[in-house]
Amino acid sequence: MSSDADTPVLRNCIRLPLPEDELLEVTAKAKDYAIMHGAAMRSKTAFSPDSLNFAPFVLVPSSFPRKEFEKAVALQPIINRLMHNVAHDEEFITTTLAETIKVDEFTANLFNIYRKVLAHGFTQKISLGMLRSDLMLESGCPELSPRALRPAAGEDRGQAAAAVGAAAGTATVGTGRNKEQKQMQKEEQKEEEERKEDRESQLSRATGERDRRAAGVPSAYCCWKQVEINTIASGFGHLGPASKTIQRFVLSELGHADKLHNMPDNNALAGLCDGMVKAWEIYAKPKAVILFIIEDVSYNICDQRFHEFYIRETYPHIKVLRRTLTEVHREGKLGQAKELLLGSLEVAVIYFRAGYEPGHYHSQAEWDARYLMETSLAIKCPSIHYHLAGTKKVQQALAQPAVLERFINDPEEIKAVGKIFTGLYSLDDNEAGNASYEMALRTPERFVLKPQREGGGNNVYGVDIPDALKRMSRVERSAWILMDLIHPPLTKGYMVRPGGDMPPQIVDMVSELGIFGVVIGDAEHIVHNYQAGHMLRTKLSTANEGGVAAGLGALDSPYLIDSDDDDQEN
Ligand code: ADP
Ligand code: MG
């Protein structure tokens, strides 16, 4: 989709291709390893509740620049706080979504629940946010333009090379008085020249990336931009760490155990589940349960059951229930203190793994169930205001100049968060929205068009945008936002899929990193706020979207590299 011949390529963690016999053997082993370690899903084509397929995965981890990874991890608690503050800003949510809810029925239904809850007051003031901020490297990052990249003092390659030369020069200063001295001098000079060559080649390796950028060539070691922020059903808490487990095994099998230290720790499952348990503790009723709201059929079952099993194994006194919205409508009621009761069980925490798309609400019954839960005393993940804060429209509004100042006090933090937004444009029926509309018609290849939906498969890309926009009325456009396409660098590797080629072929891929965050608090206080691991999804560079369950993406995990690593190392 967004790659062309100039797209930079990140170097691989090991030399590819692998010899065919080795590739066949390790791939077959890795498939079994994946199934047997729960990196699996239910088949959509041959569904059976009694069996699993391995989830598609990338055989060896895809490279990701270490600095950018660390930046994303460090920024997550700030993003958590930002989203928490946004969720609690009634005026901001109301004005931001005002136009959208006139034309988008699903968002309007969510907003109606919000409005009703606001009118009656929140029964439960605490919210549990389990967020995932998704990002892609941007090889055409504006901050890395030649001008912005002017080196700091002492960093310049020319200066440094001159310094090397000067140092070499001083070593040859002085005159020999006899032959021996001359001979010694010659040898010294030769050695020094060799050392100089060495230093210069080191230097050029270290600065090659800088040269690329200074020449205006897109960089593989680039900045990143946020794709979206998820506040509901942020998946891969289990599959993220599970991907690392498979690839760690594969690298070791291939004789590269020495490289494992470049695969960062990933405790997403524990981080997220501990978040639920912290909320359960705040609720403070020893017999109360944690309720997972699930779809009618859960294909991505491992990524839910492992959460349940982790909680049951780590905290055996906490019971976990799974119910659909329909079942909650049938079984649920409120007790005297508005506690949510399912039969005789009181619910402390509700974790929504469904409820984010219209198809999950078959009738008014499911909407009633959502409202019932929202008005209850249970701590929701997400509560309705958190759900609304995660809409694309809110993300677009946050990227507008000076908006972040409303939610973040520290100017450095505002700057850091501001940099992660790529161009996001309103399509509301006003002057700015109409200008974005014209811009999209003129240069559609620069953009992606997004509605207020989650779960993949809803966006419109590039050349398809004009037709889609022209089919909408002016007001209908305000249900959508326009976003600059991000151009991630490529990686090359083997994608392994159930029923796929054996051995797999080397393909061009791009990755999307998700950083998890947990934040718990009410409008006045945040009581817990931490980064909670990560996940990496990788898709063919030709695919627009890379949902793993949808069949286009594959599990992956980052292999951290530095721009000054020796390219010959593998
Ligand atoms: P959803 O809520 O459906 O997951 P996203 O905004 O995450 O919607 O978009 C779905 C997918 O589309 C992303 O995972 C990514 O692969 C691709 N995508 C979305 N926005 C961009 C963008 N600005 N540039 C490039 N690809 C994008
Ligand atoms: Mg997404």
Side-chain angles (χ1 to χ4, degrees):
M1 131 201 105
S2 52
S3 59
D4 54 38
D6 294 331
T7 307
V9 183
L10 283 163
R11 66 183 178 75
N12 290 324
C13 69
I14 59 168
R15 200 182 286 281
L16 299 180
L18 295 171
E20 187 170 316
D21 50 348
E22 194 179 20
L23 176 62
L24 275 170
E25 189 170 341
V26 80
T27 305
K29 228 186 278 196
K31 288 181 183 182
D32 286 345
Y33 193 92
I35 295 176
M36 293 171 198
H37 288 77
M41 289 182 174
R42 297 230 201 275
S43 168
K44 282 194 171 163
T45 47
F47 178 84
S48 160
D50 300 338
S51 63
L52 290 169
N53 281 345
F54 70 84
F57 62 90
V58 179
L59 191 64
V60 295
S62 293
S63 294
F64 198 94
R66 185 186 310 276
K67 268 195 203 134
E68 298 306 318
F69 178 84
E70 287 170 354
K71 201 166 86 185
V73 165
L75 207 58
Q76 191 58 41
I78 301 170
I79 294 180
N80 290 347
R81 185 155 26 87
L82 164 67
M83 295 312 292
H84 186 84
N85 292 344
V86 170
H88 288 91
D89 190 327
E90 182 188 331
E91 194 204 335
F92 182 75
I93 291 198
T94 307
T95 24
T96 303
L97 294 174
E99 294 305 309
T100 307
I101 59 174
K102 288 183 191 161
V103 281
D104 182 332
E105 196 190 338
F106 179 67
T107 312
N109 283 338
L110 294 173
F111 194 84
N112 279 340
I113 293 181
Y114 177 55
R115 206 160 16 209
K116 281 199 274 179
V117 174
L118 278 174
H120 296 115
F122 289 92
T123 314
Q124 177 55 262
K125 295 197 165 22
I126 297 273
S127 282
L128 165 60
M130 298 212 286
L131 316 177
R132 202 186 69 213
S133 170
D134 289 343
L135 57 100
M136 277 175 163
L137 291 166
E138 172 55 274
S139 56
C141 189
E143 287 108 72
L144 298 179
S145 69
R147 216 154 23 99
L149 257 170
R150 200 175 294 140
E155 234 194 301
D156 177 73
R157 189 191 162 192
Q159 279 176 17
V164 170
T170 47
T172 58
V173 170
T175 52
R177 263 172 253 141
N178 53 37
K179 236 178 162 182
E180 212 176 294
Q181 266 181 326
K182 273 193 179 154
Q183 181 58 25
M184 270 174 63
Q185 263 186 357
K186 254 189 179 166
E187 276 170 21
E188 271 175 16
Q189 202 170 340
K190 194 164 160 246
E191 275 172 27
E192 186 50 48
E193 265 163 19
E194 278 168 13
R195 278 200 294 272
K196 180 184 159 192
E197 266 168 32
D198 243 28
R199 275 197 297 256
E200 282 187 333
S201 88
Q202 263 177 26
L203 200 62
S204 94
R205 272 203 304 272
T207 53
E209 189 50 32
R210 182 175 296 283
D211 285 348
R212 266 176 80 79
R213 295 176 193 166
V217 179
S219 168
Y221 295 85
C222 35
C223 66
W224 53 262
K225 296 291 173 192
Q226 187 176 64
V227 174
E228 68 155 344
I229 177 110
N230 300 283
T231 59
I232 183 164
S234 311
F236 286 67
H238 159 69
L239 289 175
S243 320
K244 179 184 170 182
T245 312
I246 308 169
Q247 293 176 327
R248 188 179 57 195
F249 171 73
V250 169
L251 278 187
S252 302
E253 287 296 297
L254 293 172
H256 294 288
D258 58 310
K259 294 182 181 267
L260 298 181
H261 66 98
N262 288 319
M263 299 182 73
D265 286 345
N266 190 359
N267 298 314
L269 182 67
L272 295 173
C273 293
D274 291 346
M276 288 189 240
V277 171
K278 284 181 204 305
W280 180 88
E281 283 163 354
I282 290 172
Y283 193 84
K285 297 246 187 104
K287 290 226 163 69
V289 305
I290 297 179
L291 169 66
F292 287 18
I293 298 297
I294 56 167
E295 314 103 297
D296 297 332
V297 180
S298 299
Y299 295 100
N300 192 6
I301 189 69
C302 294
D303 204 60
Q304 297 180 13
R305 284 290 189 201
F306 272 89
H307 294 62
E308 177 177 349
F309 300 158
Y310 172 91
I311 293 172
R312 296 295 294 144
E313 283 160 16
T314 318
Y315 311 95
H317 54 291
I318 306 177
K319 198 174 160 74
V320 173
L321 294 184
R322 288 165 60 81
R323 294 286 185 277
T324 62
L325 287 166
T326 317
E327 288 165 341
V328 171
H329 179 251
R330 214 162 37 224
E331 297 169 28
K333 59 178 194 296
L334 296 188
Q336 294 219 315
K338 293 203 173 177
E339 62 277 28
L340 178 65
L341 301 170
L342 287 177
S344 59
L345 292 172
E346 178 172 350
V347 176
V349 176
I350 308 173
Y351 173 46
F352 285 91
R353 287 301 295 256
Y356 54 82
E357 64 173 45
H360 297 161
Y361 298 83
H362 310 303
S363 65
Q364 188 56 37
E366 287 74 21
W367 284 109
D368 291 347
R370 181 82 193 258
Y371 179 64
L372 181 82
M373 290 187 275
E374 208 53 51
T375 51
S376 79
L377 193 61
I379 299 176
K380 273 81 64 183
C381 175
S383 47
I384 193 74
H385 41 301
Y386 254 91
H387 189 167
L388 291 170
T391 51
K392 311 276 191 286
K393 185 68 197 164
V394 167
Q395 184 193 7
Q396 179 263 312
L398 285 175
Q400 303 316 298
V403 173
L404 285 177
E405 287 153 32
R406 186 176 174 127
F407 304 106
I408 306 178
N409 294 327
D410 183 332
E412 287 303 311
E413 290 183 1
I414 293 175
K415 217 162 103 190
V417 175
K419 278 189 186 165
I420 72 175
F421 296 127
T422 189
L424 283 143
Y425 314 92
S426 154
L427 287 167
D428 286 357
D429 185 14
N430 55 30
E431 206 180 319
N434 292 332
S436 325
Y437 169 74
E438 297 296 336
M439 180 170 73
L441 292 189
R442 270 197 314 275
T443 51
E445 64 286 350
R446 284 177 46 205
F447 302 110
V448 47
L449 182 65
K450 299 187 177 184
Q452 310 307 309
R453 294 288 178 276
E454 303 293 326
N458 302 299
N459 301 339
V460 180
Y461 294 85
V463 291
D464 294 337
I465 293 176
D467 275 354
L469 280 178
K470 283 179 196 162
R471 278 198 299 272
M472 298 174 202
S473 69
R474 271 169 169 253
V475 273
E476 277 168 353
R477 282 183 226 147
S478 44
W480 299 71
I481 62 149
L482 191 68
M483 182 177 189
D484 284 347
L485 268 178
I486 305 169
H487 302 93
L490 301 177
T491 50
K492 288 177 184 287
Y494 299 107
M495 208 178 256
V496 185
R497 322 191 138 273
D501 287 350
M502 271 302 262
Q505 307 295 311
I506 291 191
V507 287
D508 284 349
M509 309 179 294
V510 294
S511 299
E512 183 172 348
L513 179 69
I515 306 284
F516 292 106
V518 172
V519 53
I520 306 178
D522 61 18
E524 277 80 43
H525 303 103
I526 290 180
V527 284
H528 297 286
N529 178 9
Y530 55 90
Q531 182 262 341
H534 59 271
M535 51 79 88
L536 192 74
R537 256 177 319 178
T538 294
K539 62 181 180 182
L540 292 179
S541 64
T542 47
N544 281 328
E545 297 199 13
V548 176
L552 290 167
L555 306 182
D556 201 351
S557 57
Y559 180 87
L560 302 184
I561 53 168
D562 299 290
S563 59
D564 51 1
D565 280 351
D566 186 338
D567 276 351
Q568 304 312 312
E569 124 190 8
N570 54 52

